[in-house]
């Protein structure tokens, strides 16, 4: 089953909307994981160690850091949600990913959620 890790920059309203749609989804807020103030490589490492697919708004620096990260080790993957995407669409997209795919499908992949 897919488990998500929210990056510190992810809008918390998305997390709340996901949990309203599907309360059994395992989506850990950044504060719970101690991610605030960490660099992208540190966030990627913690998400990988926890076996969690990272969810972020960071389209600017995360893709490059992710590429560097997977050159040396494996990652459960990264989902990038553009800031302009409505909260409901972002939540529905994450629920769809959770319900219709397997964790192995996301390994070492970066995916832009543009529902």
């Amino acid at each position: 089953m897919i488990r998500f890790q929210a990056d510190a920059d992810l809008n918390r309203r998305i997390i709340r909307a996901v949990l309203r749609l599907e309360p059994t989804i395992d989506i850990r807020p950044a504060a719970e994981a101690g991610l605030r103030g960490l660099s992208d490589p540190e966030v990627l490492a913690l998400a990988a160690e926890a076996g969690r697919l990272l969810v972020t708004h960071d389209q600017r620096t995360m893709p490059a850091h992710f590429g560097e990260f997977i050159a040396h080790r494996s990652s459960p993957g990264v989902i990038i949600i553009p800031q302009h995407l409505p909260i409901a669409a972002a939540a529905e997209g994450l629920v769809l990913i959770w319900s219709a795919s397997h964790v192995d499908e996301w390994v070492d992949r970066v995916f832009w959620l543009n529902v």
Side-chain angles (χ1 to χ4, degrees), residues 3 8 18 23 28 30-31 47-49 51 57-58 60-61 77 92-93 98 110 112:
R3 298 180 314 142
V18 165
R28 184 168 64 178
E49 288 166 12
H57 285 305
D58 184 358
R60 192 175 57 80
T61 62
E92 289 167 2
W98 176 82
V110 63
W112 275 259

mmCIF file of all heavy atoms in Angstrom, residues 3 8 18 23 28 30-31 47-49 51 57-58 60-61 77 92-93 98 110 112:
data_model
loop_
_atom_site.group_PDB
_atom_site.id
_atom_site.type_symbol
_atom_site.label_atom_id
_atom_site.label_comp_id
_atom_site.label_asym_id
_atom_site.label_seq_id
_atom_site.Cartn_x
_atom_site.Cartn_y
_atom_site.Cartn_z
ATOM 1 N N ARG A 3 2.212 4.812 0.919
ATOM 2 C CA ARG A 3 2.219 5.722 2.072
ATOM 3 C C ARG A 3 2.850 7.024 1.594
ATOM 4 O O ARG A 3 3.881 7.007 0.934
ATOM 5 C CB ARG A 3 3.009 5.122 3.225
ATOM 6 C CG ARG A 3 2.387 3.820 3.712
ATOM 7 C CD ARG A 3 3.130 3.178 4.862
ATOM 8 N NE ARG A 3 4.564 3.146 4.659
ATOM 9 C CZ ARG A 3 5.458 3.349 5.643
ATOM 10 N NH1 ARG A 3 5.058 3.590 6.866
ATOM 11 N NH2 ARG A 3 6.741 3.291 5.390
ATOM 12 N N ALA A 8 7.411 20.005 3.598
ATOM 13 C CA ALA A 8 7.059 21.160 4.434
ATOM 14 C C ALA A 8 6.338 22.249 3.644
ATOM 15 O O ALA A 8 5.585 23.028 4.227
ATOM 16 C CB ALA A 8 8.318 21.729 5.082
ATOM 17 N N VAL A 18 -7.526 15.175 1.535
ATOM 18 C CA VAL A 18 -7.263 13.753 1.250
ATOM 19 C C VAL A 18 -7.882 12.891 2.339
ATOM 20 O O VAL A 18 -8.569 11.903 2.055
ATOM 21 C CB VAL A 18 -5.743 13.478 1.136
ATOM 22 C CG1 VAL A 18 -5.440 11.998 1.217
ATOM 23 C CG2 VAL A 18 -5.182 14.071 -0.145
ATOM 24 N N PRO A 23 -10.194 8.443 4.813
ATOM 25 C CA PRO A 23 -9.556 8.519 6.131
ATOM 26 C C PRO A 23 -8.484 7.461 6.395
ATOM 27 O O PRO A 23 -7.681 7.633 7.307
ATOM 28 C CB PRO A 23 -10.716 8.352 7.110
ATOM 29 C CG PRO A 23 -11.949 8.597 6.332
ATOM 30 C CD PRO A 23 -11.644 8.284 4.906
ATOM 31 N N ARG A 28 1.597 11.378 5.982
ATOM 32 C CA ARG A 28 2.232 11.972 7.158
ATOM 33 C C ARG A 28 2.606 13.428 6.883
ATOM 34 O O ARG A 28 3.323 13.722 5.926
ATOM 35 C CB ARG A 28 3.483 11.175 7.518
ATOM 36 C CG ARG A 28 4.158 11.653 8.775
ATOM 37 C CD ARG A 28 5.193 10.701 9.272
ATOM 38 N NE ARG A 28 6.283 10.566 8.318
ATOM 39 C CZ ARG A 28 7.357 9.820 8.516
ATOM 40 N NH1 ARG A 28 7.482 9.132 9.617
ATOM 41 N NH2 ARG A 28 8.294 9.753 7.613
ATOM 42 N N ALA A 30 4.527 17.009 7.253
ATOM 43 C CA ALA A 30 5.955 17.316 7.406
ATOM 44 C C ALA A 30 6.348 17.508 8.868
ATOM 45 O O ALA A 30 7.416 17.062 9.296
ATOM 46 C CB ALA A 30 6.304 18.557 6.599
ATOM 47 N N ALA A 31 5.483 18.158 9.639
ATOM 48 C CA ALA A 31 5.799 18.417 11.045
ATOM 49 C C ALA A 31 5.988 17.123 11.824
ATOM 50 O O ALA A 31 6.866 17.030 12.687
ATOM 51 C CB ALA A 31 4.701 19.267 11.679
ATOM 52 N N ALA A 47 12.258 10.489 3.552
ATOM 53 C CA ALA A 47 11.098 9.844 2.922
ATOM 54 C C ALA A 47 11.472 8.447 2.434
ATOM 55 O O ALA A 47 10.713 7.495 2.603
ATOM 56 C CB ALA A 47 10.573 10.701 1.771
ATOM 57 N N ALA A 48 12.658 8.325 1.843
ATOM 58 C CA ALA A 48 13.108 7.016 1.346
ATOM 59 C C ALA A 48 13.302 6.031 2.498
ATOM 60 O O ALA A 48 12.883 4.873 2.408
ATOM 61 C CB ALA A 48 14.406 7.171 0.551
ATOM 62 N N GLU A 49 13.916 6.485 3.579
ATOM 63 C CA GLU A 49 14.139 5.608 4.734
ATOM 64 C C GLU A 49 12.815 5.126 5.324
ATOM 65 O O GLU A 49 12.721 4.000 5.812
ATOM 66 C CB GLU A 49 14.954 6.342 5.797
ATOM 67 C CG GLU A 49 16.404 6.534 5.401
ATOM 68 C CD GLU A 49 17.142 7.533 6.281
ATOM 69 O OE1 GLU A 49 16.608 7.930 7.348
ATOM 70 O OE2 GLU A 49 18.249 7.931 5.882
ATOM 71 N N GLY A 51 10.127 4.733 3.511
ATOM 72 C CA GLY A 51 9.377 4.041 2.467
ATOM 73 C C GLY A 51 8.132 4.801 2.034
ATOM 74 O O GLY A 51 7.106 4.215 1.727
ATOM 75 N N HIS A 57 5.062 20.716 -3.436
ATOM 76 C CA HIS A 57 4.734 21.753 -4.416
ATOM 77 C C HIS A 57 6.004 22.216 -5.135
ATOM 78 O O HIS A 57 5.924 22.970 -6.092
ATOM 79 C CB HIS A 57 4.126 22.987 -3.733
ATOM 80 C CG HIS A 57 2.725 22.840 -3.286
ATOM 81 N ND1 HIS A 57 1.695 22.470 -4.125
ATOM 82 C CD2 HIS A 57 2.154 23.050 -2.065
ATOM 83 C CE1 HIS A 57 0.559 22.461 -3.442
ATOM 84 N NE2 HIS A 57 0.812 22.790 -2.191
ATOM 85 N N ASP A 58 7.153 21.809 -4.672
ATOM 86 C CA ASP A 58 8.446 22.331 -5.132
ATOM 87 C C ASP A 58 8.800 21.839 -6.540
ATOM 88 O O ASP A 58 9.456 20.827 -6.713
ATOM 89 C CB ASP A 58 9.539 21.938 -4.138
ATOM 90 C CG ASP A 58 10.893 22.511 -4.495
ATOM 91 O OD1 ASP A 58 11.020 23.187 -5.534
ATOM 92 O OD2 ASP A 58 11.841 22.270 -3.730
ATOM 93 N N ARG A 60 10.581 23.795 -8.551
ATOM 94 C CA ARG A 60 11.800 24.500 -8.921
ATOM 95 C C ARG A 60 13.068 23.708 -8.607
ATOM 96 O O ARG A 60 13.904 23.519 -9.483
ATOM 97 C CB ARG A 60 11.830 25.863 -8.219
ATOM 98 C CG ARG A 60 12.889 26.801 -8.743
ATOM 99 C CD ARG A 60 12.795 28.181 -8.111
ATOM 100 N NE ARG A 60 12.892 28.163 -6.661
ATOM 101 C CZ ARG A 60 14.028 28.062 -5.968
ATOM 102 N NH1 ARG A 60 15.165 27.966 -6.592
ATOM 103 N NH2 ARG A 60 14.007 28.058 -4.649
ATOM 104 N N THR A 61 13.206 23.219 -7.374
ATOM 105 C CA THR A 61 14.464 22.563 -6.999
ATOM 106 C C THR A 61 14.346 21.056 -6.793
ATOM 107 O O THR A 61 15.332 20.338 -6.952
ATOM 108 C CB THR A 61 15.045 23.185 -5.708
ATOM 109 O OG1 THR A 61 14.131 22.982 -4.634
ATOM 110 C CG2 THR A 61 15.320 24.669 -5.890
ATOM 111 N N GLY A 77 9.721 7.578 -4.702
ATOM 112 C CA GLY A 77 9.210 8.478 -5.724
ATOM 113 C C GLY A 77 8.770 9.815 -5.171
ATOM 114 O O GLY A 77 8.741 10.028 -3.962
ATOM 115 N N GLU A 92 -8.141 14.623 -4.814
ATOM 116 C CA GLU A 92 -8.712 13.533 -5.610
ATOM 117 C C GLU A 92 -7.622 12.783 -6.373
ATOM 118 O O GLU A 92 -7.668 11.555 -6.481
ATOM 119 C CB GLU A 92 -9.769 14.072 -6.572
ATOM 120 C CG GLU A 92 -11.027 14.519 -5.863
ATOM 121 C CD GLU A 92 -11.962 15.330 -6.746
ATOM 122 O OE1 GLU A 92 -11.658 15.532 -7.949
ATOM 123 O OE2 GLU A 92 -13.002 15.775 -6.229
ATOM 124 N N GLY A 93 -6.640 13.504 -6.891
ATOM 125 C CA GLY A 93 -5.535 12.867 -7.593
ATOM 126 C C GLY A 93 -4.724 11.957 -6.689
ATOM 127 O O GLY A 93 -4.357 10.840 -7.080
ATOM 128 N N TRP A 98 -3.388 6.485 -4.768
ATOM 129 C CA TRP A 98 -3.373 5.547 -3.649
ATOM 130 C C TRP A 98 -4.224 4.320 -3.928
ATOM 131 O O TRP A 98 -3.841 3.201 -3.615
ATOM 132 C CB TRP A 98 -3.851 6.279 -2.399
ATOM 133 C CG TRP A 98 -3.991 5.423 -1.189
ATOM 134 C CD1 TRP A 98 -2.993 5.039 -0.332
ATOM 135 C CD2 TRP A 98 -5.197 4.843 -0.688
ATOM 136 N NE1 TRP A 98 -3.512 4.271 0.674
ATOM 137 C CE2 TRP A 98 -4.865 4.130 0.476
ATOM 138 C CE3 TRP A 98 -6.516 4.877 -1.109
ATOM 139 C CZ2 TRP A 98 -5.815 3.450 1.217
ATOM 140 C CZ3 TRP A 98 -7.464 4.203 -0.371
ATOM 141 C CH2 TRP A 98 -7.105 3.489 0.776
ATOM 142 N N VAL A 110 9.492 10.654 -10.764
ATOM 143 C CA VAL A 110 8.903 11.934 -10.374
ATOM 144 C C VAL A 110 7.684 12.129 -11.277
ATOM 145 O O VAL A 110 7.740 11.847 -12.472
ATOM 146 C CB VAL A 110 9.913 13.101 -10.478
ATOM 147 C CG1 VAL A 110 10.388 13.327 -11.884
ATOM 148 C CG2 VAL A 110 9.353 14.369 -9.869
ATOM 149 N N TRP A 112 4.297 14.766 -12.122
ATOM 150 C CA TRP A 112 3.578 16.021 -11.925
ATOM 151 C C TRP A 112 2.091 15.717 -11.959
ATOM 152 O O TRP A 112 1.582 15.208 -12.960
ATOM 153 C CB TRP A 112 3.913 17.026 -13.031
ATOM 154 C CG TRP A 112 5.157 17.808 -12.759
ATOM 155 C CD1 TRP A 112 5.216 19.081 -12.292
ATOM 156 C CD2 TRP A 112 6.510 17.384 -12.925
ATOM 157 N NE1 TRP A 112 6.523 19.470 -12.160
ATOM 158 C CE2 TRP A 112 7.339 18.450 -12.553
ATOM 159 C CE3 TRP A 112 7.102 16.198 -13.359
ATOM 160 C CZ2 TRP A 112 8.719 18.362 -12.590
ATOM 161 C CZ3 TRP A 112 8.479 16.121 -13.400
ATOM 162 C CH2 TRP A 112 9.271 17.194 -13.017
#
